[in-house]
Amino acid sequence: MRIIICDNYYEMSKKAAILVASQVNMNPRSVLGLATGSTPEGMYSILINMYNNKEVDFSEVTTFNLDEYFPISKSNSQSYDFFMKKHLFSHINVPETNINIPNGEACDAEKECEEYEKKIDAFGGIDLQILGIGQNGHIGFNEPDEFLFSNTHKTDLTESTISANSRFFASADEVPKNALTMGMATILKAKKIVLLASGKSKHDAISKLVSGKITTSCPATMLNMHKDLVVICDKEAYHG
Ligand code: GLP
């Protein structure tokens, strides 16, 4: 694991954006794994600037998002489909047909997950996976538990995540109770992983991750099994 400790949120976002742009510049047909949440918003906004300045071109890139609430309509402003359009896709030239997000409107969630996993494999896997981290150490929507599903699956959200994510909804009751998410094995198959963390609320989870121990009660720690993981965090997330 390589850990980059940044002075602030902007520096973290800038470093991450440069890594993504370099990946795309080295391989214009890169397969990117993308994340939602407030943490990567700054990185997306810098990537949009880089695209506008012709420093990076997304025309041949394919993207797979980590997760989506379930059920949720794509037009719901809190869906991850809506988030990605608002914060990235509607500002860059990635073709719509190259964008993949688990379908929160699917009638058959299991079939959707199985097909999503197969599609990632059919593209030869993810070249660079961007991750955020939940306060309880969740990754995507892989929540702390005794057992975790390995591949893309439908999952329940914990009370802690419902409460943390309720800030985006009118009330906690409106947060969907389920989600579709890549599993930890799906994520660990990515060739490179870049995890972003900002702020004190992430300190506990980051401490467990950098301890080097592995437990399903903090899914982020499973990333210790990956051979090419870069953690980019600010001082508050690192030092608490
Ligand atoms: C959500 C997402 C995660 C994300 C996490 C942290 O639950 N499913 O992928 O990492 O929130 O979000 P934030 O960056 O807003 O703290």
Side-chain angles (χ1 to χ4, degrees), residues 35-40 66-67 69 80 131-135 138-141 161 165 167-168 201-202:
T36 50
S38 43
T39 310
L66 266 179
D67 52 6
Y69 290 112
Y80 288 167
L131 297 177
I133 185 168
Q135 293 175 16
H138 74 242
I139 293 292
F141 272 128
T161 298
N165 291 6
R167 68 191 195 276
F168 301 113
S201 66
K202 303 296 171 70

Side-chain angles (χ1 to χ4, degrees), residues 54-135:
K54 303 204 181 329
E55 292 167 51
V56 60
D57 169 31
F58 294 94
S59 59
E60 292 182 280
V61 160
T62 297
T63 67
F64 284 91
N65 262 77
L66 266 179
D67 52 6
E68 176 62 287
Y69 290 112
F70 189 83
I72 199 161
S73 111
K74 292 180 194 203
S75 59
N76 183 320
S77 62
Q78 298 311 326
S79 75
Y80 288 167
D81 200 280
F82 194 97
F83 174 102
M84 289 308 299
K85 283 186 186 118
K86 179 174 168 198
H87 292 285
L88 186 67
F89 296 146
S90 61
H91 308 279
I92 60 170
N93 64 342
V94 60
E96 213 173 310
T97 47
N98 293 11
I99 295 171
N100 299 281
I101 302 179
N103 184 3
E105 296 177 354
C107 304
D108 184 339
E110 272 174 29
K111 190 164 166 247
E112 169 67 17
C113 293
E114 205 176 298
E115 285 172 2
Y116 200 74
E117 186 80 24
K118 276 192 192 146
K119 196 165 180 188
I120 294 173
D121 289 340
F123 272 85
I126 287 165
D127 294 310
L128 173 63
Q129 175 69 56
I130 299 293
L131 297 177
I133 185 168
Q135 293 175 16

